[in-house]
Amino acid sequence: MVDVDIPAFKAVDSQDSGKKKAQVDKNISKKRVLIIEDLGEMRLMLKSLMTSLGYQKIDIEPSGQSAIKRVLDIKYDIVLSDFNLGGSIDGQQILETTRKTYSLDHSTIFIMITADTAYEAVVSVLEYQPDSYLVKPFPPQAFIRRLGKVRQQKKVFEPLNKARMDQDYEKVIELAKEIKATLPQYTHLCQKSIGEALFALQRYKEAKTHYLVIIKEHKNLAWAHYGIAQCELKLGAIVAAIKSLEQTITLSRHFLSAYDTLADAHEKLENYEQAQIALKSVLEVSPRSIERSKRLAELSTKVKDWQMAEFAYSRAIRLSRDTEAETYDLYYGHLQSITQMIEEGSDVKKLNDKFKRSLTRLRIIGKQNPAAVSNSFRIEVQQYVTRNHVAEAVKSWKTWRRLMDDGMAAPLTEAQEYTLKKRLGLQ
């Protein structure tokens, strides 16, 4: 849990207050802090500030990619992240990853730091909101005040958060009502917690009614419209859910999960082209999402929109390069979409260059995986046959056959091998 006792910075006059401060500092020293900042000078300043407050376990990352690995591997009590990190991953994506990874644990403090004054205009309607944010440049005392305020809020919600962690959702509802009655400034947080708890208890009709009451008073709360949509999906009212999701997006184009859920809803109705539109829209808002790019590619493959599939796979490959998300299935999907585009008569020379690059990378990252090796030759043979380059296809097949004999490539069934040889004129 995040301790919220604010350390004293003035000299203490009594022995009791000195003991209290020592205890506070001891608690703080156990907390884990992650600072994500691409500018060296700012990294040093933030570390100095946190050290002055008594924090000792401080990790520092200069890039978004390395920071996400940290978030996935280590549970942090405080994350301080710059918004614009200069790489393929920004602070908002790190915030999204943090919130999803610690989905039940709301104790982690996330403070966004940005030089972009426009962030202030959108932060209130973001789906994943930081606990606070600061616009550069800012004086140290402003940072300390902000951090102290957030820690106070976390202290108020600590019992509720524990109940959530224990999945005691009846207790969550009870505590949220108590906080709302005594501290009205936290009304929306309490209402949101109650709705989520009712949903977790599978009381979907009651949860929907709860959200409808909220909207009656505050019609522009995107999260309440999203809550209604989730309930409607569970109740089987898919068309109504789609309308609620569209309203959510209208109120907040940054409510990323609404696009994902909208795509889900359209897929349930087999409206695959509408699902594709939803995914294209969310990638316009958040273009650096690997998973959404991959999903768009897979959905485009389903509707045989090979141009969009190739584009989406290319984006996923670019974003995942040299990360754990870089998998051979991305490259195999990319190669399949290129092959289909060639078959449909697209620019062969341009696509052939892409094919070679993707095939080379597939073989590099999949060389220890027999299935990946076989798939790389399978698609290479298919591409040569599509271009009527039978001699090259036969040469590729012979290499593939040797690798299968050596156990380096996954074997084919007798039927698969017979069909392939017949297609190559070898039967």
Side-chain angles (χ1 to χ4, degrees):
M1 296 293 176
V2 176
D3 192 283
V4 298
D5 292 316
I6 301 174
F9 290 94
K10 296 180 181 179
V12 290
D13 298 322
S14 68
Q15 188 176 4
D16 287 344
S17 61
K19 287 180 180 178
K20 186 176 180 181
K21 179 179 183 300
Q23 183 63 43
V24 170
D25 290 343
K26 182 180 178 182
N27 291 337
I28 284 176
S29 67
K30 296 177 182 178
K31 308 302 177 184
R32 299 209 64 145
V33 179
L34 176 61
I35 295 171
I36 311 162
E37 172 60 65
D38 59 339
L39 299 178
E41 189 175 317
M42 194 68 186
R43 288 197 298 268
L44 289 173
M45 189 196 86
L46 290 171
K47 184 177 181 181
S48 177
L49 275 171
M50 297 307 286
T51 302
S52 73
L53 292 171
Y55 295 95
Q56 297 177 12
K57 297 180 179 180
I58 303 174
D59 293 329
I60 298 176
E61 289 293 347
S63 75
Q65 287 186 337
S66 56
I68 280 184
K69 289 180 182 178
R70 290 267 197 182
V71 166
L72 293 173
D73 292 340
I74 301 171
K75 170 66 174 70
Y76 285 98
D77 299 287
I78 300 176
V79 178
L80 310 175
S81 179
D82 188 32
F83 180 67
N84 294 305
L85 292 165
S88 61
I89 295 174
D90 61 25
Q92 197 64 31
Q93 288 171 279
I94 296 168
L95 172 59
E96 181 178 346
T97 300
T98 303
R99 294 292 193 241
K100 288 182 175 180
T101 304
Y102 311 151
S103 59
L104 285 179
D105 187 357
H106 291 209
S107 66
T108 296
I109 290 174
F110 195 109
I111 296 181
M112 194 76 76
I113 298 166
T114 177
D116 186 358
T117 55
Y119 188 76
E120 187 171 9
V122 301
V123 67
S124 64
V125 294
L126 290 172
E127 175 189 0
Y128 295 100
Q129 297 179 2
D131 294 296
S132 190
Y133 69 96
L134 285 160
V135 177
K136 301 176 187 177
F138 54 84
Q141 287 303 318
F143 173 83
I144 292 169
R145 284 194 300 271
R146 253 345 137 78
L147 180 59
K149 185 176 180 181
V150 174
R151 289 164 68 199
Q152 287 174 343
Q153 178 184 309
K154 296 293 183 181
K155 183 65 175 178
V156 169
F157 281 85
E158 187 173 345
L160 187 152
N161 182 54
K162 184 180 184 305
R164 182 189 284 113
M165 290 287 288
D166 294 338
Q167 298 187 34
D168 185 352
Y169 296 110
E170 294 287 3
K171 188 69 173 176
V172 169
I173 294 169
E174 177 188 334
L175 292 169
K177 288 179 178 178
E178 289 178 4
I179 295 170
K180 179 185 173 184
T182 56
L183 298 167
Q185 65 268 35
Y186 297 133
T187 292
H188 283 179
L189 282 175
C190 292
Q191 288 175 323
K192 195 168 186 288
S193 296
I194 292 169
E196 290 169 351
L198 289 169
F199 187 85
L201 289 167
Q202 298 182 21
R203 289 153 58 178
Y204 304 125
K205 289 183 179 179
E206 191 176 345
K208 180 179 176 179
T209 300
H210 170 76
Y211 287 123
L212 286 169
V213 170
I214 293 170
I215 287 174
K216 189 174 181 180
E217 297 179 2
H218 305 281
K219 62 181 180 179
N220 293 329
L221 289 178
W223 58 263
H225 286 276
Y226 183 68
I228 290 172
Q230 287 184 302
C231 295
E232 288 169 334
L233 283 174
K234 289 293 184 180
L235 294 168
I238 300 176
V239 174
I242 287 172
K243 290 181 180 178
S244 295
L245 290 164
E246 289 172 345
Q247 180 64 18
T248 303
I249 292 166
T250 298
L251 291 170
S252 173
R253 67 185 295 266
H254 299 275
F255 206 109
L256 306 182
S257 292
Y259 295 90
D260 298 331
T261 309
L262 181 59
D264 292 340
H266 280 302
E267 282 203 80
K268 284 179 183 292
L269 296 177
E270 299 184 2
N271 295 334
Y272 299 120
E273 291 183 359
Q274 290 299 314
Q276 189 186 37
I277 290 170
L279 290 171
K280 285 194 281 188
S281 297
V282 72
L283 284 166
E284 289 174 5
V285 179
S286 178
R288 297 173 180 176
S289 171
I290 298 170
E291 283 305 313
R292 291 186 181 103
S293 296
K294 183 180 177 182
R295 186 179 177 190
L296 175 60
E298 292 169 347
L299 187 58
S300 298
T301 297
K302 182 179 286 189
V303 299
K304 298 184 179 181
D305 184 349
W306 303 115
Q307 186 172 352
M308 181 53 64
E310 190 280 324
F311 173 80
Y313 273 123
S314 291
R315 174 181 279 177
I317 286 168
R318 184 175 65 254
L319 293 170
S320 65
R321 182 77 181 232
D322 295 324
T323 72
E324 293 179 358
E326 186 184 25
T327 56
Y328 68 80
D329 62 309
L330 285 178
Y331 289 92
Y332 187 59
H334 187 224
L335 291 164
Q336 284 181 308
S337 61
I338 291 173
T339 300
Q340 292 295 333
M341 288 177 70
I342 290 173
E343 188 171 342
E344 291 180 352
S346 297
D347 186 340
V348 175
K349 185 178 184 306
K350 183 179 179 181
L351 290 173
N352 192 43
D353 290 340
K354 286 186 176 184
F355 188 95
K356 288 178 180 178
R357 289 195 299 270
S358 211
L359 183 65
T360 299
R361 187 63 180 173
L362 169 58
R363 287 177 174 164
I364 289 172
I365 68 171
K367 62 183 178 181
Q368 302 299 325
N369 188 311
V373 174
S374 258
N375 280 338
S376 75
F377 281 94
R378 188 194 314 275
I379 196 65
E380 183 178 48
V381 170
Q382 183 183 344
Q383 193 251 19
Y384 280 136
V385 170
T386 297
R387 296 169 60 199
N388 293 318
H389 292 187
V390 180
E392 286 90 342
V394 171
K395 182 179 178 182
S396 180
W397 158 246
K398 289 180 179 178
T399 302
W400 183 9
R401 178 70 265 178
R402 286 196 300 271
L403 290 171
M404 284 192 279
D405 291 339
D406 293 339
M408 298 176 67
L412 298 176
T413 65
E414 288 186 14
Q416 287 173 329
E417 187 167 336
Y418 176 83
T419 301
L420 181 61
K421 285 183 176 179
K422 187 174 182 181
R423 192 176 184 189
L424 296 175
L426 299 176
Q427 287 285 9

